[in-house]
Amino acid sequence: MAKRKEKPPEEGSPAWMATFSDLMNLLLCFFVLLFASSTMDAGKIQKIAASFDNMSFSILNNGAMSLVNGDMMSGGVTQLPDTQTYLQQEGRTAEGKEGNTGGGATMTDAKLDQVSDAEIKAEFDERGEKESEEMYDEVVSMTESFNIESLVTIDYTKQYVELELNGSILFESGSSEVKNDSKMFLQKIASILTKYKYNIIEIEGHTDNVPISGGRFEDNRALSMARAKSVYDYVITQENFIDENMKIAGYGESRPVASNATPEGRARNRRVSIKIYNEQNSN
């Protein structure tokens, strides 16, 4: 019996592979459409966030503001999954009443327009002042534990906590070299600052308005800058700081905190100020 001749294999990919490729392309298109339809206006979502009092979610882009239990905060927080559904369920009408969530109602443009930039800024400032107040309490407590509270004047704003160091404690008249007997004091200041090394820390030099006569500094601004640099140089040798977060400045006599008409006022103006910016204003 003659042996049956086998058919040569067909050229090209198997038929099932073409069907599988078509399926993968369809799935890819499907997920691209889903992603595109889920994109939201970041500006509107940010205003929606500021209008809620008891919600906890964050806002799209890294570094943007977010709202947690009614408080504005900053930083790169990831977006809450199913944000659109969540906003629909929690939507309110322009009058502040609960919306008809059963019908899938969303926040109206009228409500969004009512949340002004000024209101968002006010919420942002309130958050900053709260952070600064908490830092202030911590710094005061640490100065008391180091027994240096009488040598430091501490205050705060919505942006930072400020430590005011008297220049006569740190330097001789007309000099920018830190006194030997004040180095222990600066070590304690460095121990306080290192707690906030991830925040922006600015060291500022200030003087009174008495002109410099002779010496190595041409004017008060040069002296104030040199003093700020000396404090910076000493502090960073005591603790581990992040150099990019450290700043120095010299303002000379341009920013007095007391009258230069009296010896007491001039003594207070001769100072080094250290500003520790809160987390919100360090980003």
Side-chain angles (χ1 to χ4, degrees):
M1 179 182 294
K3 188 175 180 180
R4 186 168 57 183
K5 188 177 180 180
E6 295 182 358
K7 295 176 62 178
E10 296 181 3
E11 295 183 1
S13 302
W16 67 267
M17 188 174 292
T19 302
F20 183 77
S21 298
D22 289 340
L23 176 62
M24 292 299 101
N25 287 331
L26 288 172
L27 284 174
L28 175 61
C29 293
F30 174 70
F31 284 113
V32 168
L33 286 173
L34 280 182
F35 177 77
S37 64
S38 67
T39 303
M40 292 178 287
D41 188 320
K44 284 193 174 183
I45 296 301
Q46 183 170 323
K47 289 189 176 183
I48 291 173
S51 69
F52 292 124
D53 294 326
N54 298 311
M55 296 173 60
S56 178
F57 60 95
S58 58
I59 312 303
L60 300 171
N61 297 327
N62 288 348
M65 290 185 295
S66 62
L67 190 73
V68 178
N69 293 329
D71 292 328
M72 297 297 292
M73 57 186 292
S74 63
V77 189
T78 56
Q79 183 184 354
L80 182 72
D82 299 325
T83 304
Q84 184 63 40
T85 302
Y86 191 75
L87 294 179
Q88 289 176 357
Q89 293 174 347
E90 296 293 336
R92 298 176 183 175
T93 64
E95 289 77 19
K97 300 178 181 179
E98 295 297 328
N100 181 15
T101 57
T106 59
M107 188 69 66
T108 64
D109 289 338
K111 179 62 177 176
L112 293 177
D113 292 339
Q114 288 180 358
V115 184
S116 66
D117 291 340
E119 290 173 317
I120 293 176
K121 183 180 184 301
E123 187 74 22
F124 190 81
D125 290 343
E126 183 180 348
R127 173 74 183 185
E129 187 163 3
K130 183 178 179 181
E131 284 185 16
S132 293
E133 185 177 3
E134 292 173 355
M135 288 171 55
Y136 170 83
D137 291 338
E138 292 173 351
V139 172
V140 169
S141 178
M142 284 187 282
T143 58
E144 292 173 348
S145 67
F146 287 131
N147 198 29
I148 59 172
E149 69 274 14
S150 62
L151 303 177
V152 186
T153 301
I154 307 172
D155 200 358
Y156 72 91
T157 70
K158 62 189 177 185
Q159 296 178 316
Y160 54 77
V161 173
E162 182 175 20
L163 288 73
E164 184 181 299
L165 316 181
N166 193 295
S168 61
I169 297 176
L170 301 174
F171 309 102
E172 298 289 352
S173 177
S175 172
S176 65
E177 185 177 351
V178 175
K179 293 180 182 178
N180 287 330
D181 57 3
S182 66
K183 289 182 178 179
M184 182 61 70
F185 168 63
L186 277 184
Q187 288 177 16
K188 295 175 179 179
I189 294 295
S191 297
I192 294 173
L193 297 180
T194 192
K195 178 178 174 63
Y196 307 101
K197 65 181 180 180
Y198 295 105
N199 296 30
I200 298 297
I201 298 175
E202 185 171 9
I203 301 174
E204 300 177 348
H206 302 270
T207 67
D208 58 25
N209 67 345
V210 178
I212 291 180
S213 56
R216 53 186 289 251
F217 301 106
E218 61 182 62
D219 54 27
N220 281 325
R221 186 174 290 271
L223 174 61
S224 66
M225 175 61 80
R227 287 181 169 181
K229 180 68 162 53
S230 292
V231 171
Y232 162 80
D233 288 339
Y234 187 80
V235 162
I236 63 172
T237 63
Q238 305 305 305
E239 300 285 350
N240 293 321
F241 289 94
I242 301 173
D243 191 61
E244 66 184 25
N245 290 344
M246 303 291 290
K247 298 181 179 180
I248 59 173
Y251 293 104
E253 61 196 66
S254 64
R255 299 187 179 185
V257 292
S259 173
N260 281 306
T262 64
E264 294 79 13
R266 290 192 296 271
R268 189 177 171 196
N269 288 333
R270 297 189 294 269
R271 70 197 189 278
V272 172
S273 297
I274 301 178
K275 294 177 179 177
I276 310 171
Y277 286 80
N278 57 42
E279 182 179 352
Q280 180 170 266
N281 287 278
S282 293
N283 294 326

